[in-house]
Amino acid sequence: RWLTCKSLPPGALERIADTVADRVRVPWFAGAVKINVSLVPPLVLLPVFLHVAALHFLLGLVILTSLPVVVLWYYYLTHRRKERTLFFLSLGLFSLGYMYYVFLQEVVPRGHVGYSQVVALTCGLILMLAALSRAKKDPGYLPVPASNEKSSHQALPNKSVRGSSNGLHGFTTSGAAPGRAVNGEAKAYSRMSAEEPEGLKKDWCTKCQLVRPARAGHCRLCGRCVRRLDHHCVWINSCVGEQNHQAFILALLFFMLTSVYGITLTLHTICKSRTPFVALFYCPGAYSDYSSALSFTCVWYCAIVTAGMGYILLIQLLNISYNVTEREARLALRDNTGRRLLGGLVIDTGQYNRGFLCNWGHFLSLGSSPPQRSAEDIV
């Protein structure tokens, strides 16, 4: 039906993909292991595309232009469906490994790169992977009460009711009035005093059935509430929150330094008579042999990825300087409560901004002390 352009039943392709993934397993000592299908495309397609791009300048131009478009399209597709995928994590890790392999196989044997430079590049890669491993850990999930977790499995339907992205201020206790169903959304009523400052208010998450502290948010992809939620990063397949935001920034910094250093070493080897920036756009001998062409193609691939990650790092550093998270900036734009600064690169909500030094001091102290549990959480 798909080949003849006929309409397919809803979810048919997903069921076919799940069946294929369940049947195609990797033999292992403890039994066949099921492999996530989203891990496979980068492992197969990336080397093929890069080797084809190294055959001719025009092929390289077409492939290196279409790759970012395809990745952005897949990101839009998964983001619209609110799906979690390992594609981006697999693409990032395999890109690092394959670029390092090409560097050792094609660039180092030319004799223009010293052992100390290889060691420095390797150390940068190891530090980046260590920071990435730390960023993959708990971002600061709020504990879900066991009673709520049990009741959610029994009482809630398969498709849960979507609540507001901000949550609803207030919460109910055993002596308070239960939440009412208004337009299909469960709401609770505040029992906090009116004198409490706006920035210190807590709110109620209708999904997790718990009280969220200030700046916490619910991730629709992870299905959990996270302290000081910044955003859900597809490149690490996890949320960025209070406990792993520093490690996330470190991983980006180490990646930028290592990538720029590797690009510089490679261009110095391929185009010795030109500066790295000039050689990136004009290197006459790049396609004289296949080894140089492959190295030059990988340099351009690294430059495209580095530019994208550099933009992400810039936005993160600006947000930290104004003490605003990506989630807060998005909500401020939606509610028209923030002001655009620096050409729209940062959205200042003005709620937590205490000056450049105080904002960075607050960021560097994130996760230094364990979160205090309120009396309601203990009960």
Side-chain angles (χ1 to χ4, degrees):
R1 294 175 66 90
W2 179 66
L3 291 175
T4 55
C5 299
K6 295 180 180 179
S7 60
L8 291 173
L13 292 179
E14 288 79 2
R15 290 195 298 271
I16 293 173
D18 292 339
T19 304
V20 172
D22 186 64
R23 297 296 186 269
V24 181
R25 294 173 178 257
V26 176
W28 199 246
F29 299 102
V33 179
K34 184 178 179 180
I35 303 298
N36 194 308
V37 178
S38 59
L39 291 172
V40 180
L43 304 179
V44 177
L45 297 180
L46 182 63
V48 173
F49 284 157
L50 291 178
H51 279 275
V52 172
L55 295 175
H56 195 271
F57 168 75
L58 293 179
L59 285 174
L61 183 63
V62 171
I63 290 177
L64 292 177
T65 304
S66 59
L67 272 179
V69 175
V70 172
V71 171
L72 288 175
W73 170 80
Y74 186 71
Y75 167 76
Y76 170 76
L77 186 65
T78 55
H79 183 73
R80 186 181 62 178
R81 295 181 177 180
K82 304 297 183 295
E83 296 177 352
R84 296 190 67 178
T85 176
L86 294 175
F87 173 84
F88 299 97
L89 179 61
S90 174
L91 177 62
L93 292 178
F94 185 67
S95 296
L96 287 172
Y98 192 70
M99 295 303 106
Y100 186 68
Y101 169 78
V102 171
F103 179 79
L104 294 180
Q105 290 293 317
E106 306 294 342
V107 180
V108 174
R110 294 172 178 259
H112 299 284
V113 179
Y115 287 108
S116 60
Q117 294 170 318
V118 175
V119 170
L121 187 70
T122 306
C123 289
L125 186 63
I126 293 174
L127 290 174
M128 194 277 298
L129 292 175
L132 183 63
S133 175
R134 174 61 188 86
K136 281 283 296 174
K137 294 183 179 178
D138 181 13
Y141 291 123
L142 290 173
V144 180
S147 58
N148 292 337
E149 192 176 77
K150 199 175 295 182
S151 62
S152 64
H153 287 296
Q154 296 174 356
L156 291 180
N158 292 332
K159 294 184 178 179
S160 56
V161 179
R162 180 174 298 179
S164 65
S165 55
N166 274 332
L168 301 169
H169 290 294
F171 55 91
T172 58
T173 58
S174 59
R180 298 178 182 175
V182 181
N183 295 329
E185 294 185 359
K187 294 192 176 184
Y189 293 91
S190 174
R191 69 175 185 85
M192 296 180 297
S193 62
E195 293 82 9
E196 187 173 13
E198 181 70 24
L200 298 178
K201 282 187 178 180
K202 298 181 179 182
D203 59 347
W204 173 260
C205 177
T206 58
K207 300 282 188 177
C208 300
Q209 298 292 299
L210 53 78
V211 180
R212 296 191 300 213
R215 310 191 75 176
H218 184 87
C219 177
R220 292 175 292 179
L221 296 177
C222 296
R224 296 282 299 276
C225 285
V226 181
R227 294 182 181 274
R228 197 184 178 275
L229 175 63
D230 189 85
H231 69 288
H232 182 94
C233 181
V234 296
W235 295 104
I236 64 175
N237 194 34
S238 178
C239 290
V240 177
E242 184 179 276
Q243 298 297 320
N244 67 341
H245 202 167
Q246 296 173 354
F248 179 73
I249 296 297
L250 277 179
L252 287 175
L253 284 173
F254 283 131
F255 172 80
M256 293 293 298
L257 294 174
T258 305
S259 180
V260 171
Y261 187 57
I263 289 173
T264 304
L265 292 177
T266 305
L267 290 177
H268 273 312
T269 303
I270 299 175
C271 301
K272 310 179 189 65
S273 59
R274 290 177 172 80
T275 61
F277 183 78
V278 175
L280 187 62
F281 295 95
Y282 182 69
C283 186
Y287 288 86
S288 58
D289 59 276
Y290 188 75
S291 176
S292 299
L294 180 61
S295 301
F296 188 71
T297 303
C298 291
V299 161
W300 259 105
Y301 176 74
C302 288
I304 294 172
V305 176
T306 303
M309 294 301 170
Y311 175 77
I312 295 175
L313 178 61
L314 175 63
I315 298 299
Q316 286 289 314
L317 295 179
L318 290 175
N319 286 344
I320 294 170
S321 300
Y322 285 90
N323 199 3
V324 62
T325 64
E326 279 291 315
R327 173 178 175 270
E328 291 167 350
R330 185 174 64 252
L331 295 177
L333 281 178
R334 187 196 67 181
D335 300 334
N336 198 23
T337 57
R339 57 193 183 107
R340 294 176 180 268
L341 300 175
L342 303 177
L345 290 177
V346 63
I347 307 298
D348 183 19
T349 61
Q351 190 173 7
Y352 302 101
N353 189 0
R354 300 296 181 268
F356 181 83
L357 294 179
C358 290
N359 293 340
W360 272 96
H362 171 74
F363 174 76
L364 295 177
S365 64
L366 287 178
S368 58
S369 58
Q372 300 293 328
R373 299 183 65 185
S374 62
E376 289 84 358
D377 293 335
I378 297 175
V379 173

